[in-house]
Amino acid sequence: MSIVKINVLTVPEEQREVLEKRFAARASAVEGSDGFEWFELLRPVEGTDTYLVYTRWRDEESFQAWLEGPMRAAHQGGGENGGEKPKPAATGSTLWSFEVVQQTEPRQA
């Protein structure tokens, strides 16, 4: 069964737009990865500065291959036009790992 990785990011209010734009710009970096199943970026609504980055993978090996390949390359690259690497938008990060033990199919609109 699939695995879920949730990256818990602490993002100051003034950095929210920066974070969201960076994720939008890199969407294809994860979507084409072998074993990738699902992605969601969850914005906090009230009372917290914590974003959740939800990804679902076929197995741990697929996640690790993405982590060591495309994800590492995306985070090690330089800034725009060969400039300095941009400052992280998040001030903290924790990775949660889960196995999917039950699921239902999404409703069709």
Side-chain angles (χ1 to χ4, degrees), residues 29-64:
V30 70
E31 290 171 356
S33 298
D34 184 48
F36 170 78
E37 296 177 355
W38 194 262
F39 163 85
E40 291 178 320
L41 176 60
L42 306 176
R43 177 192 306 137
V45 177
E46 58 187 30
T48 184
D49 58 358
T50 303
Y51 274 72
L52 300 179
V53 183
Y54 175 102
T55 57
R56 182 172 162 151
W57 299 86
R58 176 180 56 227
D59 51 35
E60 182 69 27
E61 293 76 20
S62 298
F63 172 73
Q64 290 299 326

Side-chain angles (χ1 to χ4, degrees), residues 9-12 14-16 18-19 22 26 75 85-93:
L9 301 175
T10 304
V11 182
E14 65 274 8
Q15 290 292 90
R16 287 179 170 198
V18 171
L19 178 90
R22 287 181 186 171
R26 288 192 233 149
H75 283 84
K85 184 177 175 180
K87 176 184 159 198
T91 59
S93 174

Side-chain angles (χ1 to χ4, degrees), residues 75-98:
H75 283 84
Q76 289 182 343
E80 293 180 23
N81 303 322
E84 263 187 58
K85 184 177 175 180
K87 176 184 159 198
T91 59
S93 174
T94 302
L95 184 65
W96 295 343
S97 299
F98 298 89

